[in-house]
Amino acid sequence: MSGSPITAIEAIPLRIPLKPDLRGAALWGEELTAADSLLVKVTTDDGIIGWGEAFGLYGTALAARALDELVAPLCLGRDAADIAALMDHVQRKLHVFGRGGPVSYALSAVDIALWDIAGKRAGLPISTMLGGDGRAMPCYASLACYTEPQRVRAAVRRVVDDGFTAIKLHESQLPAIRAARDEAGPVIALIVDAGCAWTLDQARAVAPDLHAVDMLFLEEPLWPPENFDGLAELRRSTALPIASGENIGTTMEFERLLDAGAVDFVQPSPAKVGGITELRKVFALAEARDVAVMTHSFYDGPGLLAAIQVTAALGGADAMIEWRWFDLEASVYGAALAPTEGRVTVPDGSGLGLDPDPDVISAYRFGV
Ligand SMILES: [Mg+2]
């Protein structure tokens, strides 16, 4: 054993309510009243604490159980500094439980926390460790689904007034999408996340109307999300700019997505795909194929910071950060991480740059 062994790994589920003043928020048919997230705290024997995040949404309990029962036992006592070797070890041991989903989300959280620890030990933010210069990153407001055009308008108005110049909708119905464009005006960049709503034929049929709305890209138009050939065909036959990748579990699957010519923008999700270790590999694959990376970060904790730190170092000129805009009554980093005029400053503390606000953790921790 060399370096500094991992002595504790703790899952910390949070539930933060939405403010009640912008009603109707939902995601894929499920009403939203709160945002659940799963923070993971990793401690080393010399007392350094790193923070990670597993993709949560409606599944924080599953990811927490995968962490406690499968991932953590393989990590405790191992060297915190040899991240790549540990992640390879865990992936090989757990591959029989699937190469994606809650096991991967739990693994992602540990990886992000270990990068946080490595940065803290080096006294450097992760973006600097990866060769970046800590510039402010442009970000887009990623809205919940509101479906009804008047509610979509209200949400769009709110974020435009907040200074965002790019907005993602989680809408697949044309009246909602058109209402957003109408409310936003012609200059705001619109992204439409269809949430895997359509077959290839259905997407082709709606493509002229989507073109008319003018969007930066269309995200996950097809069911199932791993229909890479279908995405490539949609892209070829409609010239709609296509984005996908948040539901891909492995680097090799990303290689297949890219080699299929399926996307204009590739969207690895740090809290799903295996943390910063795997995220860096996807950036390299995308760069070699001249495809832009737009990380997925539909969360607001260490996973978001991982996306910010890595994109600041490795992202192209057009890269933007997904800023989940849920109108919550509190957030993991509070005022320490908040966009101004559609840009977020890359935190310059060591590691991820910021630790979660302990008052938010004690106020919103739930479950165990
Ligand atoms: Mg999405």
Side-chain angles (χ1 to χ4, degrees), residues 168 170 193 219-220 246 296:
K168 181 193 282 183
H170 286 88
D193 184 341
E219 176 171 328
E220 288 203 314
E246 70 181 85
H296 169 268

Side-chain angles (χ1 to χ4, degrees), residues 9 62-76 78 86 89-98 100-107 110:
I9 298 177
L62 281 175
R65 190 149 184 198
L67 181 83
D68 289 343
E69 294 190 7
L70 297 173
V71 176
L74 292 170
C75 297
L76 289 168
R78 304 275 301 208
L86 178 53
H89 169 70
V90 177
Q91 286 199 29
R92 286 170 186 270
K93 286 284 186 186
L94 298 182
H95 78 273
V96 293
F97 299 104
V103 173
S104 293
Y105 305 167
L107 170 79
V110 174

Side-chain angles (χ1 to χ4, degrees), residues 313-367:
L314 306 180
D318 298 329
M320 287 192 291
I321 297 299
E322 177 173 29
W323 182 270
R324 188 182 66 180
W325 196 91
F326 264 6
D327 203 20
L328 300 174
E329 63 178 45
S331 61
V332 172
Y333 301 109
L337 188 71
T340 307
E341 298 299 314
R343 298 179 76 81
V344 64
T345 300
V346 182
D348 61 2
S350 58
L352 290 171
L354 293 168
D355 282 346
D357 182 337
D359 293 338
V360 171
I361 289 179
S362 55
Y364 296 102
R365 189 168 182 156
F366 85 110

